[in-house]
Amino acid sequence: MGNLRVGLIGLGMMGRHHARVIREIDGVDLVAVADSYGDPHGVAGHLNVLSSVEELIAAGIDMAVVAVPTGLHEEVGLALADAGVHTLVEKPIASSAEAGQRMVDAFAAKGLVGAVGHIERFNPALQSLRKRIEAGELGDVYQIATRRQGPFPARIADVGVVKDLGTHDIDLTAWLAQSRFESIFARTTTRSGRPHEDMVAATGQLSSGIITNHLVNWLSPMKERLTIATGEKGAFVADTITADLTFFENGTVATEWESMAAFRGVSEGNVTRLAIAKPEPLRTEHEAFRDAVLGIRNDVVTMQEGLDTLRVAEAVLESATLRKIVNIAIA
């Protein structure tokens, strides 16, 4: 069996990275690229730059990567599903839950692999954290909190910070906890003069009882990407910029100070920065997509999971608008 033939549509900031990684991994060949705006980063190489998804499909591809603006995800995704092409679409799955549902249904009807590029799941620090939570190293998990802050990225124009950045935190939180969001309460603000929100603070609860907290914005001069899982044995802090994972252990030394001993809280213990392998998350994501198409394993972010995440994101925006807690019904 020869290599899988891959087509890439969207040659912007993310598209250029997808092109590089597709060319680096085994078992696939990048055979066609498309972008109606051309190739600003010069990633096509010897390939002709096609202008539409129809031309991409006509090149005879087995699988595709979609890195076009969010508003075009549904149109491009449905065309690929109709053509029988396995597809990885950048997050969020679509611009609305209704559009996302149509994509889920289309790929399911054809029995195709449909995946969403929630790349944080493939960050080495978070992959290690999930395994450690599963192994009971944290004991009962109380809270998962995230902070995703930084300057405004020029690449984003058609969605706000909730659907662009916030969907990372929604997805990784539910994935780490292996529990869906049950309710959310949020506040947003718009300070950059654009039509979409650029800052959000959200507090949620998962069906398992874990509480969550998320600070996401495009208004901070520093870049921060932190996930903090707190439980009965301490706290794990994952920095997904550096892929570092640190464990802050609860203290185990008994105090002899009577008034302090009466306080039934926790105390500081050992702090350990864990040594973990650090493969590039985008490469890991592409290898998972390739293997899902080949039927070897299935640990991609499915389109249904991407849709669930988008529904939570829309509940965040609804909560901010209505100024009340929103309960989330996900099938």
Side-chain angles (χ1 to χ4, degrees), residues 271-286:
V271 179
T272 307
R273 195 170 98 179
L274 300 156
I276 57 176
K278 297 182 179 181
E280 181 184 358
L282 188 61
R283 182 186 181 103
T284 305
E285 180 179 61
H286 271 278

Side-chain angles (χ1 to χ4, degrees), residues 158-240:
D158 58 344
V159 294
V161 75
V162 172
K163 288 187 178 180
D164 182 62
L165 287 190
T167 49
H168 278 308
D169 296 304
I170 293 165
D171 177 74
L172 72 85
T173 296
W175 176 71
L176 285 173
Q178 299 185 56
S179 178
R180 71 172 186 85
F181 277 80
E182 193 172 76
S183 62
I184 201 82
F185 180 77
R187 287 287 185 267
T188 60
T189 190
T190 304
R191 301 288 181 172
S192 62
R194 298 168 64 252
H196 305 292
E197 80 290 343
D198 43 35
M199 175 178 280
V200 62
T203 298
Q205 185 161 31
L206 306 184
S207 57
S208 63
I210 293 173
I211 59 173
T212 76
N213 184 264
H214 312 287
L215 297 176
V216 189
N217 74 66
W218 282 324
L219 300 174
S220 296
M222 76 293 184
K223 189 171 182 178
E224 183 178 44
R225 302 286 187 268
L226 291 180
T227 299
I228 304 166
T230 303
E232 63 178 322
K233 296 182 181 180
F236 281 104
V237 177
D239 184 330
T240 54

Side-chain angles (χ1 to χ4, degrees), residues 8-16 18-19 33-36 38 40 43 56 65-69:
L8 168 65
I9 183 165
L11 303 179
M13 294 296 288
M14 277 305 299
R16 63 174 179 168
H18 282 296
V33 297
D35 194 312
S36 59
V43 302
L56 194 77
V65 176
V66 176
V68 298

Side-chain angles (χ1 to χ4, degrees), residues 18 35 41 107 109 111 128 141 149 177 239 251 258 270:
H18 282 296
D35 194 312
H41 303 291
F107 280 86
S128 179
V141 180
Q149 307 179 96
D239 184 330
E258 186 176 349
N270 295 326

Side-chain angles (χ1 to χ4, degrees), residues 12-310:
M13 294 296 288
M14 277 305 299
R16 63 174 179 168
H17 295 300
H18 282 296
R20 171 181 56 81
V21 171
I22 293 167
R23 287 178 168 128
E24 289 176 354
I25 65 173
D26 296 330
V28 301
D29 291 323
L30 182 63
V31 299
V33 297
D35 194 312
S36 59
Y37 291 99
D39 183 14
H41 303 291
V43 302
H46 68 280
L47 299 172
N48 293 326
V49 180
L50 308 175
S51 60
S52 68
V53 66
E54 289 77 18
E55 291 182 17
L56 194 77
I57 291 166
I61 55 176
D62 303 305
M63 50 198 285
V65 176
V66 176
V68 298
T70 303
L72 298 175
H73 284 188
E74 180 187 11
E75 176 187 343
V76 172
L78 293 181
L80 290 164
D82 186 60
V85 179
H86 304 287
T87 299
L88 168 65
V89 60
E90 265 301 338
K91 59 82 199 158
I93 182 174
S95 57
S96 69
E98 293 77 14
Q101 185 66 65
R102 288 189 286 269
M103 289 180 65
V104 168
D105 294 343
F107 280 86
K110 289 293 187 77
L112 297 166
V113 175
V116 184
H118 284 290
I119 194 172
E120 289 286 49
R121 281 204 200 182
F122 300 95
N123 188 284
L126 292 178
Q127 292 216 322
S128 179
L129 175 54
R130 176 168 153 129
K131 291 174 184 175
R132 293 172 188 277
I133 289 174
E134 279 188 309
E137 293 184 26
L138 198 52
D140 190 19
V141 180
Y142 304 150
Q143 181 190 53
I144 297 175
T146 65
R147 300 203 302 269
R148 189 174 299 272
Q149 307 179 96
F152 175 72
R155 63 183 175 82
I156 299 300
D158 58 344
V159 294
V161 75
V162 172
K163 288 187 178 180
D164 182 62
L165 287 190
T167 49
H168 278 308
D169 296 304
I170 293 165
D171 177 74
L172 72 85
T173 296
W175 176 71
L176 285 173
Q178 299 185 56
S179 178
R180 71 172 186 85
F181 277 80
E182 193 172 76
S183 62
I184 201 82
F185 180 77
R187 287 287 185 267
T188 60
T189 190
T190 304
R191 301 288 181 172
S192 62
R194 298 168 64 252
H196 305 292
E197 80 290 343
D198 43 35
M199 175 178 280
V200 62
T203 298
Q205 185 161 31
L206 306 184
S207 57
S208 63
I210 293 173
I211 59 173
T212 76
N213 184 264
H214 312 287
L215 297 176
V216 189
N217 74 66
W218 282 324
L219 300 174
S220 296
M222 76 293 184
K223 189 171 182 178
E224 183 178 44
R225 302 286 187 268
L226 291 180
T227 299
I228 304 166
T230 303
E232 63 178 322
K233 296 182 181 180
F236 281 104
V237 177
D239 184 330
T240 54
I241 295 177
T242 61
D244 287 332
L245 182 63
T246 303
F247 182 47
F248 292 78
E249 186 180 1
N250 286 348
T252 56
V253 178
T255 181
E256 297 179 5
W257 185 1
E258 186 176 349
S259 61
M260 287 296 292
F263 172 64
R264 295 178 179 273
V266 299
S267 60
E268 293 182 62
N270 295 326
V271 179
T272 307
R273 195 170 98 179
L274 300 156
I276 57 176
K278 297 182 179 181
E280 181 184 358
L282 188 61
R283 182 186 181 103
T284 305
E285 180 179 61
H286 271 278
E287 289 172 341
F289 178 44
R290 174 202 63 197
D291 290 353
V293 171
L294 291 172
I296 296 172
R297 58 186 171 119
N298 187 19
D299 57 0
V300 296
V301 182
T302 67
M303 285 194 170
Q304 182 61 57
E305 290 174 316
L307 175 57
D308 292 345
T309 292
L310 180 56

